[in-house]
Amino acid sequence: MPEPAKKAVSAFAKKPKTQEAEEGSSVVFEAETEKPDAKVKWQCNTTDIANGNKYVVAADENKHSLSIKAVTMSDANVYAVIAGGSKVKFELKVTPKQAPKLAAEDSPAPDKATVEDAGEPPVLMEPAPVPPAAESKPTAEDTPAPAHEAPPAEDGQPPDTRQDLTGLFTEKPQSGEVTVGENITFVAKVHADTLLKKPTIKWFKGKWMDLASKSGKHLQLKELCDRNTKVYTFEMHVIAAKPNFAGAYRCEVSSKDKFDSCNFDLSVHEARAVEGLDIRSAFRRTSIDGKEDSGELDFSTLLKKSSSFLKSSHRATQVSTGPDVDVWEILQKAPASEYEKIAFQYGITDLRGMLKRLKKMKKEEKKSEAFLKKLDPAYQVEKGHKIRLGVEVANADVEVKWLKNGQEIRPTGRYIFESVGNMRYLTITHCSLADDSAYTCVVGDEKCTTELFVKEPPVLILKNLEDQMVMKGERVEFECEVSEEGALVKWEKDGVELTRDESFKYRFKKDGCKHVLIINEVTKEDCGIYRVKTNGGESVAELLVQEKELEIYQSIADLTVKAKDEAVFKCEVSDENVKGTWYKDGVEVKPDTRTHITHIGRIHKLTIDDVKPEDEGDYTFVPDGYAFNLSAKLNFLEVKIDYVPRQDPPKIHLDCMSRTTESTIVVVAGNKLRLDVPITGDPAPTVVWTKGEKASSVKLEGDKKVAPASSWTLKDGEVITEEDGRVHVESTKGHCIFTIEGTERQDEGIYSVVVRNPAGEDTADINVKVVDVPDPPQAPRILSVGEDSCVVQWDAPLFDGGQPVIGYVLERKKMKSYRWMRLNFDPYPETTYEAKRMIEGVAYEMRVYAVNAIGMSRHSPASQPFVPVAPTSEPIGLCIDDINDTSITLKWRAPERIGSAELDGYGVEYCKEGTDEWVPAFEGLTERTSVNIRDLTTGDKLQFRVRAYNMAGPSAPATLAQAVTIREIMQRPKIWIPRNLRQTLIKKVGETINLVIPFQGKPRPKVSWSKEGEPLSPTLVSVRNSDTDSIFFIRKSEKKHSGTYEIQVQIENVEDTASITIQIVDLPGPPEALKIMDVWGFNVALEWKPPKDNGNCEILGYNVQKADKKTMEWFTVFEQYRRTNCVVSDLIMGNEYVFRVFAINLVGLSPEPCNTKDSAFIQKAGIVCKSPSYKEHDFSEAPKFTHPLVSRSVIAGYNATLSCSVRGIPKPKVTWYRNKMDISQEPKYRMFSKQGVLTLEIRKPCPFDGGVYMCKAVNDSGEDVVECKLEVRSQIVKEEKKEEKKEEKK
C-alpha cells in the first residue's frame, strides 16, 4: 500500500513581512530558513530578482535578506521569497514624499477616506503628519467608520489592512486621489496560467452599482491580454473627474468556480482657487417642478464647497451633491424596489420629491441613426472554424470600419469584408486563440461592439499511462500522448498537483504530443496513484516501489591448495552495482602483487598467486549495505617429496574432495566444468577420461573389455583421442585437468579417470551434476475475477532444472500496453495467486516465471485476456406479486451498483424448505425484473432467491424473508372507485363513456352490473370484465343512460358493491308563456314560465332580447337572468318593441326562443318628474387630531421630523409652537401638510432646539391641540474629544 502523503512543512523559520516606505528611502526584507544550506530565490511580480544597483540579495547561513535602494512609486509591487516547495508573498507600499507645509492652516487634521457604502469594510488612508499648531477638533463628518482590526506590524510599521494576494489578483487596484476635471486610471492584473476559463471582471461603485453600463464620456473600461505570460490586464479610466465620482469602489474577478475581489477608494478634490466661486450657484432651490423661482433655498452646496477649500489635497473627501442627470438615468432604469437603495447611495433625502420628478420625466428610448441591426453582445466559435459577424446599416452606401481591440482590421486572407445591400459582414477564417478579442463596427460617430470567444477543442489522451513496479533508487518515466501539440497538462500524485522543485525530484518533458513525467531515484514515499489531466480527460497509473534484496547466485567455497598454486575465491550476487570487501580472519584484505581483487558485473573474485602456508585461514566477503556475509576456508596442502625409486606406481590424489574417491560436483549449465586431478607416478602415467561407466570397467586399447561411449586419452601430455570440441584435456606436472566449456544438461553423468604406467594403475570416479534454471511454467489460467483483482493458477514446470523450484514470479500488463509489471519480487511458493490493485474494466494478461536456486526461467505463455469486473450488488426489493395453487409471480428492482460491466440478466432459483438443493426456475437468464414461475406443486413450502449476473458471475442472492407455501390465498373483494367517479359524472348527449373500474379479490371474483336495482341490459351498456378490472362502455350516450349504476364483486359469500351516478345532459327547451305584463313610460314588464325540458340539468338563467319592429334587429337586454320576470327599461319613445327569451343550462342556450305574441308601444306623452325636497346636511366638523405627536430623542447635527395627522371641515389652519413660541416664520423649520398629515422638519438641531413642541389646528367649528417633547443629544465623539483636550491641557 502506498504511504499516506506527508503534510507540507514550511521551509521558513521566519517569514518576511509587508512593509511601507517613503519614496526615496531604502527598505530591507529579512527571512530565515529551517536549513542553513537551503537555496533561496527572490521574486518581484513572479519575476526573479538578481543582484544589481537596485536590488541587493544577501545570505548568511540560514539568514537571507533583500535590500531595495532608492525606493520609487514603481517599486510598490508584490514580492515573494521561495525556498524548496515553500513560497511566501509580501508587499512593499510606497508613500509619496511629503512636501513642506507653508502655513498651519494648510495642514489638515488626520482624516480617513470615508466609505460610501456602510456595508463594505472601509480602507483607511494614511494620515499626513500634523503640526501641533494645526490640530483642530474633529467634527462629526471627520469621524471615520471603525475599520477591521489589523495585526500589529513589525519594526514599528503601521498595520496593513489590505488583503494579501492569495486569490486571483497578481496586482490589485490601489486607492487614488484626483482633482476635479483631471483623469485617473485603476489597474488590476490576473494571471490565468492555472485557470481553465478566461477571467471575467466587474467594477462596482459602492455595493450595488455596476459600472459596465456607465461606460462613456467619463468612464472607460479596457482589457488587455499578454498571450505569452497569460496575464490579463484590466483598466478603469476615469476621465474629467466630477465631485460625485468620489467614494468606495470594488473590483470583482471570477473564473468558473474561482472568485476574488478587492476594495479601493477614489477621492476627488475641488480646485484650490476660490476666486472663481459663484455664490449664486450655491443658492439652489429644492424645486420639484423645474421652475427657477419655486422651492426653497438649499445652502448645503455652499457649505460643502467652502469646507473643501480648507482641506488639504492629500485628504480623501467624500463629496455629496444633489441628484444629477446620471442619477436620474439610473433611477429610470431601476425597478421601484431599488429606489430607496439608490437614494441612500447618492445622498437623496427628499424621497417624495424624487418620486414626483420621476413621474414627470418621460422615458425616451434612443434609437441608432446609423444601425438598423447591431452586433449581438457576444459570439462563440470553436478553434479552427470560421465565424461571420454581420450588422445592418441604415444607409446602403455608407462605409464601415472594423476594429479589433481598438485597432483597425485590414482585409487579409483570414479577414474578409463583405457588403450586401444594407448588410456589412466580417468573416474570420481558421479562428485561433489570438482572435479571442473585442470587435467593433464603426459607422461615422456611432459604433457597436461585441466580444468573440474562441473555444478550444478538448485535449484528449490518446495513449494512457502504464502501471510500473520498480526497485528503490531507479528512475521512472510516466509517458502519455495527447491529441494536440503544446497542450497544457497537469500531473497529480494522490490528488496533489506536482510542480518542479529545487531538488529536481520531478521533471516534466514535452516532445510534440508526448508528455513525460520523470522521477529520479524513487523512494518508498513515491508510491501512489499518478494522474495526468487535460481539459478533455485524464489517465491514471500506479507506481509501486520495492526494496532491493540481494540474492546470492553463487557462494564462495572452501579451497585446499598446495604451495605455489593459485587460490581463487569467487561469488556471484544479483546486483552488479553492489560492491564489497574481502576479509581474512577479520582483517580486510588489501590487494598486492600476489593478491588480486576483481569485480566484473555480478561476479566478485579474490585471487591469491603462489599460495604460502601463511595464506591459510578463513576468508569472508561482505557486500556493502547488506547485513550478511559469505565465508569459506583456505586449506594449505603440504606436499612432502620423499626419495622413491624410478618405478613409482601412479596415484590419484582426491583426498581434498570430502576425503572420498567418489565425489559429486555440481555445475551450473553454461558455466565451465574444470576437473583438476592431482596425480603422481614415475614414469609419467597415461591418463584416460571416460564418461558413462565407472573406471573399474574401463580398459585401454587392446584389452578385452569394451571402452565406454565417450573417452579421452592423454599420453606424455598429448591428447590421443578427443570426441567433442567443447572438451579440453590437458596435463601438467603432477596434475591432470579435464575441462568442458559451456556445460549443457547432457553433460551430466559419471566421469572416470584412469592413470597407468608400467608400475601400475589407479582409478577414480567423479559424479558431475549439471543444474539449470527450470523450464517455463504452462500458460496461467484465470480462475475468477473481482472488482480490482483476479485469481490466477498455473502448473509447475515439467523440468525443475535439477534443483527444486522455490517459487514463482508473476507479471501482468494491460492489453494495449507493451510494458510488463512485476507483481512480486520474492518467489511465491504456491501455484495459485490473487493479483490485486487492478483497474476495473481494463483488459489484462498474466505470465509466470519459475525460480530455483540457479535462477529464473523464461516466462510462460501469456494467459487469456481478462477484465477485472466485480459482480453487481444483490437485487433489491424482492417480493411476491401474485400467487395461486400452481404458480407464483415475483418482482424486484435492479441492483444499486451495476459496475463497469453490463448486466447480463437475472437468475431465479428455488428450493424446498429443509433442503439445500437450489433448482433454477427457468433456463438461462431473464432481463425483466419480474417473473412468473409455473407448474409448481400445490402445498409445497418453497424458498426463492434472485441473483444478478454479469461478466464476473452472479451477485449475492436476494431472498425472501421466509418460505412461501404454494397455495391460493383468499383475498377479500374490494372495488377501487376512481376519484373522479365518486361524484356525479356529467356527459353531453352523443359523447362516448368509457369507465375502467379496478377491483381486487382472489380467486377471480364474479362481477355483475345493475341500474336502479335492475340487471343491466347488454343492449344498453357494454361491459367487459377481467381479473383485476371491469370496463363500462357506452359508444353514444343518450338521456336514457342517466341514472345510478351499481357494480357488485362477489367471491363465495363475500361481496363488495359500489355505485356510479351518470348524468347525460342536453340543451334545454324554450321557455313558455312569455307575456307583456305592463307598459309604462319607457319600461316594459315581462313574465314567462320555465321550459318543460331542462336538458336533464339545472336552468342556469335566461337571455332576454328586444327588437324594434321597424328593423327587427335583436339586442340582448339581460344575460343569464335568474328570475322568470323582468322589467326592460330605457326604451325609445314612439317605437314598438317585441321580445324573446332563451333558456340557458350547463350545455348552452336553448335552440329556439320563446317570443311575445303582442308588441309594446312606447307612448310619446311627456312625464313630469318632481324632485323630492331634502334638508341640506351640515358637514362641518371641529378639528381633531387622529394621530398625536410622539416625543423623540435625536442626535445634534442630523435633521429631525415631527409628524401628526388632523381632520376637520372646513380645512383647519395649523400653527406650530416651541415652548409656546410661534415658530412658523423661522427659517430653521419647514412645515408640510398633505392629505391631513402634518410634518415639521427641524434642520440640523442643536441641544438648544430641545423643548416642548405644540401643534394647534383651528377652524370655524373649534380647535384642537397636540404636543410632544423633543430631546436633542450632543454627539458622543465631541464630548470624548473635549475630555481628551482637557486632559492634554492639564
Side-chain angles (χ1 to χ4, degrees):
M1 295 292 291
E3 296 184 3
K6 296 183 179 180
K7 185 177 180 181
V9 179
S10 175
F12 291 100
K14 179 182 177 182
K15 301 177 182 179
K17 305 291 184 179
T18 295
Q19 297 189 30
E20 183 170 329
E22 189 177 10
E23 189 176 7
S25 62
S26 299
V27 65
V28 178
F29 295 99
E30 296 181 347
E32 292 184 10
T33 57
E34 295 285 353
K35 299 179 180 180
D37 57 346
K39 295 182 179 179
V40 172
K41 180 167 61 177
W42 298 85
Q43 291 184 342
C44 174
N45 285 341
T46 69
T47 303
D48 292 348
I49 296 176
N51 264 321
N53 297 331
K54 182 70 175 178
Y55 301 101
V56 178
V57 179
D60 183 11
E61 293 185 351
N62 66 329
K63 295 183 179 180
H64 303 266
S65 64
L66 169 65
S67 301
I68 305 176
K69 301 178 180 179
V71 173
T72 62
M73 295 300 292
S74 60
D75 293 326
N77 292 313
V78 178
Y79 294 82
V81 57
I82 303 175
S86 299
K87 182 176 182 180
V88 178
K89 293 183 179 180
F90 53 93
E91 288 185 64
L92 172 60
K93 300 180 182 180
V94 180
T95 57
K97 196 169 185 180
Q98 300 295 333
K101 302 297 184 293
L102 297 177
E105 58 268 22
D106 292 335
S107 301
D111 191 18
K112 297 183 177 63
T114 58
V115 179
E116 185 172 3
D117 183 6
E120 295 292 329
V123 181
L124 301 182
M125 304 292 291
E126 283 301 318
V130 182
E135 293 184 0
S136 60
K137 297 180 181 180
T139 62
E141 292 181 359
D142 295 333
T143 304
H148 295 295
E149 294 184 1
E154 298 183 4
D155 303 328
Q157 295 293 336
D160 179 20
T161 59
R162 290 183 49 79
Q163 301 175 1
D164 291 336
L165 292 179
T166 58
L168 299 178
F169 286 107
T170 57
E171 180 179 335
K172 295 184 177 181
Q174 306 292 330
S175 299
E177 302 176 355
V178 67
T179 306
V180 173
E182 295 183 355
N183 304 337
I184 188 171
T185 301
F186 297 94
V187 179
K189 292 185 179 180
V190 177
H191 198 288
D193 191 21
T194 59
L195 303 181
L196 300 178
K197 187 179 179 183
K198 175 185 175 183
T200 303
I201 198 162
K202 290 185 178 180
W203 301 86
F204 294 91
K205 181 179 181 186
K207 191 172 184 180
W208 299 285
M209 189 172 67
D210 190 350
L211 297 180
S213 60
K214 297 300 175 187
S215 297
K217 181 178 178 182
H218 294 282
L219 179 66
Q220 293 182 3
L221 304 180
K222 292 187 178 180
E223 175 184 339
L224 302 174
C225 177
D226 189 339
R227 297 290 181 182
N228 297 325
T229 61
K230 296 287 186 180
V231 174
Y232 284 84
T233 303
F234 302 94
E235 297 179 353
M236 183 178 75
H237 298 273
V238 179
I239 303 170
K242 293 183 179 181
N244 61 331
F245 290 0
Y249 288 79
R250 187 170 79 258
C251 177
E252 292 183 357
V253 63
S254 61
S255 176
K256 207 171 182 181
D257 56 345
K258 297 184 178 181
F259 176 84
D260 196 6
S261 67
C262 68
N263 301 320
F264 59 96
D265 292 333
L266 172 61
S267 300
V268 182
H269 302 293
E270 295 285 355
R272 295 292 298 271
V274 300
E275 292 80 8
L277 175 63
D278 186 3
I279 194 65
R280 294 174 298 172
S281 63
F283 289 86
R284 296 184 296 121
R285 294 184 178 271
T286 58
S287 170
I288 61 175
D289 56 3
K291 298 181 180 179
E292 295 182 356
D293 56 350
S294 60
E296 299 181 7
L297 293 176
D298 185 3
F299 295 88
S300 58
T301 303
L302 179 61
L303 295 175
K304 289 179 181 177
K305 285 186 177 181
S306 61
S307 62
S308 65
F309 298 147
L310 301 177
K311 296 181 180 179
S312 171
S313 60
H314 294 286
R315 176 179 167 184
T317 308
Q318 180 183 1
V319 180
S320 299
T321 63
D324 58 5
V325 178
D326 290 341
V327 179
W328 297 119
E329 289 179 1
I330 296 172
L331 289 170
Q332 280 182 301
K333 297 177 183 178
S337 58
E338 301 289 331
Y339 285 170
E340 186 176 354
K341 186 190 299 181
I342 296 172
F344 173 76
Q345 181 178 353
Y346 289 95
I348 301 175
T349 58
D350 189 2
L351 296 180
R352 292 183 182 177
M354 180 189 73
L355 294 175
K356 286 184 179 180
R357 179 170 176 178
L358 280 175
K359 230 174 192 181
K360 293 182 180 181
M361 293 178 64
K362 296 181 180 179
K363 299 180 181 178
E364 295 182 0
E365 184 179 359
K366 294 183 180 179
K367 293 186 178 180
S368 174
E369 296 179 358
F371 294 98
L372 298 180
K373 182 181 178 181
K374 295 187 176 183
L375 295 169
D376 292 340
Y379 295 87
Q380 180 171 318
V381 63
E382 290 191 0
K383 183 180 178 182
H385 293 187
K386 76 174 183 178
I387 190 171
R388 193 182 196 193
L389 310 179
V391 297
E392 185 177 358
V393 296
N395 185 1
D397 300 326
V398 75
E399 294 292 333
V400 301
K401 285 184 181 180
W402 292 92
L403 308 179
K404 175 183 176 183
N405 286 340
Q407 302 295 324
E408 185 175 356
I409 304 174
R410 300 296 180 186
T412 61
R414 292 187 59 247
Y415 297 102
I416 302 172
F417 297 163
E418 297 178 75
S419 176
V420 181
N422 288 45
M423 298 300 296
R424 300 292 186 269
Y425 297 102
L426 167 63
T427 303
I428 307 174
T429 60
H430 303 291
C431 290
S432 63
L433 294 180
D435 297 319
D436 191 309
S437 307
Y439 292 84
T440 306
C441 180
V442 181
V443 178
D445 295 334
E446 292 193 33
K447 62 182 179 180
C448 59
T449 304
T450 186
E451 191 166 1
L452 176 61
F453 296 95
V454 179
K455 182 181 179 183
E456 288 189 84
V459 178
L460 304 178
I461 298 179
L462 304 180
K463 181 181 177 183
N464 291 317
L465 303 177
E466 298 177 354
D467 297 338
Q468 297 194 39
M469 176 179 284
V470 297
M471 301 302 296
K472 181 179 178 182
E474 293 182 357
R475 168 185 165 129
V476 177
E477 291 187 5
F478 285 105
E479 180 179 322
C480 72
E481 185 175 346
V482 298
S483 60
E484 185 176 343
E485 290 190 12
L488 294 177
V489 302
K490 184 165 70 172
W491 293 90
E492 291 183 356
K493 174 183 178 292
D494 296 329
V496 179
E497 183 177 0
L498 299 178
T499 57
R500 192 190 304 270
D501 55 10
E502 291 292 333
S503 62
F504 295 100
K505 177 73 173 178
Y506 302 104
R507 291 175 47 218
F508 307 98
K509 180 180 176 183
K510 293 182 181 180
D511 184 10
C513 295
K514 292 184 179 180
H515 293 258
V516 183
L517 169 63
I518 302 173
I519 308 175
N520 295 315
E521 298 181 359
V522 296
T523 61
K524 293 288 287 184
E525 288 76 14
D526 294 322
C527 291
I529 303 297
Y530 288 80
R531 282 184 173 85
V532 58
K533 290 184 177 181
T534 68
N535 59 358
E538 66 176 28
S539 180
V540 182
E542 184 179 9
L543 175 62
L544 298 178
V545 180
Q546 293 285 347
E547 293 280 358
K548 289 185 179 179
E549 293 185 5
L550 194 65
E551 298 182 17
I552 306 301
Y553 291 160
Q554 181 180 350
S555 183
I556 58 177
D558 295 342
L559 297 178
T560 301
V561 295
K562 296 183 295 183
K564 296 191 177 182
D565 283 354
E566 181 184 65
V568 179
F569 290 102
K570 171 185 173 183
C571 66
E572 184 178 358
V573 296
S574 59
D575 192 350
E576 61 183 14
N577 296 322
V578 172
K579 298 180 180 180
T581 307
W582 292 89
Y583 296 89
K584 175 180 179 291
D585 297 329
V587 180
E588 183 178 354
V589 177
K590 300 294 184 180
D592 52 23
T593 55
R594 287 195 313 112
T595 306
H596 308 285
I597 299 176
T598 59
H599 172 204
I600 302 174
R602 298 181 300 184
I603 298 176
H604 298 260
K605 283 185 180 180
L606 172 63
T607 305
I608 304 174
D609 298 333
D610 297 332
V611 176
K612 298 179 180 180
E614 57 266 24
D615 294 328
E616 186 174 17
D618 291 329
Y619 287 82
T620 304
F621 175 73
V622 180
D624 292 346
Y626 295 91
F628 66 92
N629 56 62
L630 305 176
S631 299
K633 188 172 184 180
L634 176 63
N635 298 311
F636 182 76
L637 179 64
E638 294 186 7
V639 180
K640 297 181 179 180
I641 302 176
D642 298 332
Y643 173 77
V644 293
R646 298 292 297 175
Q647 294 287 335
D648 187 10
K651 180 68 174 176
I652 299 174
H653 301 278
L654 291 179
D655 52 347
C656 64
M657 302 291 290
S658 302
R659 306 295 180 183
T660 62
T661 58
E662 184 174 348
S663 304
T664 300
I665 295 177
V666 179
V667 62
V668 178
N671 291 355
K672 179 193 291 187
L673 172 63
R674 185 174 185 271
L675 302 178
D676 188 351
V677 178
I679 59 175
T680 57
D682 194 13
T686 299
V687 181
V688 179
W689 288 89
T690 62
K691 177 191 174 187
E693 296 185 12
K694 292 193 175 183
S696 58
S697 63
V698 176
K699 296 294 182 180
L700 294 175
E701 297 180 2
D703 292 341
K704 293 180 181 180
K705 291 189 178 180
V706 181
S710 301
S711 65
W712 302 268
T713 305
L714 263 147
K715 187 174 183 181
D716 297 330
E718 296 182 358
V719 179
I720 299 176
T721 61
E722 183 173 356
E723 295 185 356
D724 195 342
R726 295 185 301 111
V727 180
H728 304 284
V729 180
E730 58 181 326
S731 177
T732 61
K733 185 178 180 181
H735 286 269
C736 179
I737 302 172
F738 180 82
T739 305
I740 301 178
E741 298 288 346
T743 54
E744 299 176 354
R745 192 174 296 175
Q746 58 266 26
D747 294 332
E748 183 175 317
I750 299 175
Y751 290 80
S752 302
V753 57
V754 179
V755 292
R756 289 191 180 94
N757 67 3
E761 69 176 27
D762 194 8
T763 63
D765 295 330
I766 302 174
N767 186 18
V768 175
K769 183 177 181 180
V770 179
V771 294
D772 197 359
V773 296
D775 290 345
Q778 301 297 318
R781 303 177 299 276
I782 306 300
L783 300 183
S784 63
V785 295
E787 181 177 3
D788 61 347
S789 62
C790 74
V791 177
V792 59
Q793 189 180 58
W794 61 93
D795 295 330
L798 299 177
F799 176 67
D800 62 0
Q803 293 288 329
V805 175
I806 60 177
Y808 302 90
V809 174
L810 290 90
E811 290 183 339
R812 76 171 184 225
K813 80 173 183 69
K814 298 175 183 176
M815 277 292 295
K816 296 182 180 180
S817 173
Y818 299 98
R819 186 192 299 271
W820 288 90
M821 177 178 172
R822 185 165 293 185
L823 301 182
N824 64 306
F825 284 91
D826 296 329
Y828 183 73
E830 306 295 334
T831 58
T832 302
Y833 182 82
E834 182 180 7
K836 297 182 178 179
R837 303 181 71 166
M838 292 185 281
I839 302 174
E840 184 178 6
V842 177
Y844 288 89
E845 290 179 324
M846 302 280 292
R847 68 183 185 187
V848 186
Y849 297 84
V851 181
N852 63 5
I854 305 306
M856 185 183 299
S857 71
R858 300 191 313 275
H859 62 79
S860 69
S863 67
Q864 291 295 324
F866 65 94
V867 178
V869 175
T872 69
S873 60
E874 69 275 6
I876 58 177
L878 177 62
C879 63
I880 300 173
D881 190 33
D882 193 11
I883 188 171
N884 56 28
D885 290 340
T886 59
S887 66
I888 186 172
T889 301
L890 303 175
K891 65 179 182 180
W892 60 90
R893 297 194 301 277
E896 291 183 350
R897 182 181 57 81
I898 301 296
S900 61
E902 294 183 357
L903 186 65
D904 295 334
Y906 301 93
V908 183
E909 299 173 316
Y910 64 87
C911 75
K912 289 187 178 181
E913 189 177 34
T915 66
D916 295 332
E917 181 182 0
W918 289 93
V919 180
F922 48 85
E923 293 184 2
L925 304 175
T926 179
E927 296 181 356
R928 298 183 300 172
T929 56
S930 64
V931 66
N932 181 259
I933 306 174
R934 306 176 186 275
D935 301 329
L936 299 177
T937 304
T938 304
D940 284 354
K941 202 168 186 181
L942 303 178
Q943 177 62 274
F944 294 87
R945 71 181 184 185
V946 179
R947 295 192 291 181
Y949 287 79
N950 65 358
M951 185 189 301
S955 68
T959 59
L960 294 174
Q962 57 187 4
V964 180
T965 303
I966 306 302
R967 182 183 294 114
E968 182 84 46
I969 299 175
M970 171 104 178
Q971 185 179 25
R972 292 183 61 87
K974 177 67 176 176
I975 301 173
W976 303 100
I977 297 294
R979 186 181 299 274
N980 63 316
L981 299 180
R982 295 179 186 177
Q983 55 189 2
T984 301
L985 178 65
I986 300 176
K987 292 286 185 178
K988 296 180 183 180
V989 172
E991 291 185 344
T992 300
I993 300 176
N994 188 12
L995 307 179
V996 180
I997 310 299
F999 57 81
Q1000 68 180 27
K1002 290 185 180 179
R1004 179 174 177 174
K1006 180 182 178 182
V1007 182
S1008 60
W1009 285 85
S1010 62
K1011 178 184 179 184
E1012 310 294 346
E1014 297 295 332
L1016 197 60
S1017 173
T1019 59
L1020 186 65
V1021 178
S1022 298
V1023 176
R1024 187 175 64 200
N1025 300 322
S1026 67
D1027 292 344
T1028 57
D1029 56 36
S1030 179
I1031 299 176
F1032 180 94
F1033 181 75
I1034 301 175
R1035 186 175 300 278
K1036 191 173 182 181
S1037 59
E1038 300 176 3
K1039 286 186 181 180
K1040 63 181 180 179
H1041 293 126
S1042 298
T1044 301
Y1045 294 83
E1046 293 184 354
I1047 178 174
Q1048 182 181 36
V1049 180
Q1050 183 176 2
I1051 301 176
E1052 297 179 357
N1053 297 328
V1054 183
E1055 64 179 24
D1056 190 18
T1057 59
S1059 61
I1060 300 172
T1061 302
I1062 299 177
Q1063 182 180 353
I1064 308 299
V1065 297
D1066 198 1
L1067 293 174
E1072 296 183 345
L1074 176 60
K1075 298 178 183 179
I1076 297 176
M1077 302 303 295
D1078 192 8
V1079 179
W1080 76 97
F1082 303 102
N1083 307 310
V1084 175
L1086 302 177
E1087 187 175 326
W1088 63 91
K1089 293 181 180 179
K1092 289 183 179 181
D1093 182 11
N1094 62 359
N1096 202 24
C1097 62
E1098 180 186 1
I1099 297 297
L1100 299 179
Y1102 303 91
N1103 278 10
V1104 181
Q1105 295 181 347
K1106 68 179 179 179
D1108 188 353
K1109 288 193 71 175
K1110 296 176 183 179
T1111 61
M1112 287 307 293
E1113 292 184 6
W1114 293 95
F1115 298 94
T1116 301
V1117 179
F1118 297 105
E1119 281 188 323
Q1120 291 193 353
Y1121 189 75
R1122 302 286 297 180
R1123 292 180 292 179
T1124 56
N1125 54 75
C1126 68
V1127 176
V1128 180
S1129 303
D1130 298 330
L1131 300 177
I1132 299 174
M1133 184 182 299
N1135 289 352
E1136 188 175 1
Y1137 292 90
V1138 291
F1139 303 89
R1140 68 182 183 184
V1141 179
F1142 292 89
I1144 305 174
N1145 68 357
L1146 184 64
V1147 182
L1149 290 174
S1150 59
E1152 298 293 334
C1154 178
N1155 296 316
T1156 57
K1157 296 180 180 179
D1158 301 328
S1159 61
F1161 182 76
I1162 307 302
Q1163 299 292 335
K1164 290 186 177 180
I1167 300 175
V1168 178
C1169 179
K1170 185 179 180 181
S1171 301
S1173 59
Y1174 297 100
K1175 185 179 180 181
E1176 186 176 354
H1177 183 70
D1178 183 11
F1179 289 95
S1180 61
E1181 181 183 1
K1184 182 179 180 182
F1185 285 94
T1186 59
H1187 190 282
L1189 291 173
V1190 179
S1191 297
R1192 294 189 59 189
S1193 176
V1194 298
I1195 299 176
Y1198 293 91
N1199 292 357
T1201 59
L1202 301 176
S1203 299
C1204 61
S1205 61
V1206 66
R1207 74 179 183 189
I1209 300 176
K1211 182 179 179 180
K1213 180 181 178 182
V1214 178
T1215 308
W1216 289 87
Y1217 299 90
R1218 180 175 71 85
N1219 295 332
K1220 297 184 180 181
M1221 297 292 292
D1222 188 357
I1223 59 175
S1224 301
Q1225 302 302 323
E1226 294 188 18
K1228 190 178 184 68
Y1229 303 95
R1230 296 173 63 189
M1231 296 82 173
F1232 302 96
S1233 175
K1234 185 175 181 181
Q1235 301 295 334
V1237 177
L1238 309 179
T1239 303
L1240 173 65
E1241 180 182 359
I1242 308 172
R1243 297 182 178 181
K1244 296 183 180 180
C1246 62
F1248 300 102
D1249 293 323
V1252 178
Y1253 284 80
M1254 180 177 67
C1255 182
K1256 182 177 182 181
V1258 181
N1259 67 0
D1260 295 338
S1261 300
E1263 64 179 33
D1264 195 8
V1265 175
V1266 65
E1267 62 181 22
C1268 70
K1269 290 183 179 180
L1270 176 66
E1271 178 187 358
V1272 181
R1273 306 192 308 272
S1274 60
Q1275 295 189 17
I1276 301 175
V1277 178
K1278 286 188 176 182
E1279 298 298 331
E1280 292 179 353
K1281 295 292 182 179
K1282 290 179 181 179
E1283 293 176 4
E1284 291 178 3
K1285 294 293 182 180
K1286 291 179 181 179
E1287 292 176 1
E1288 291 177 0
K1289 291 179 180 180
K1290 291 179 181 180

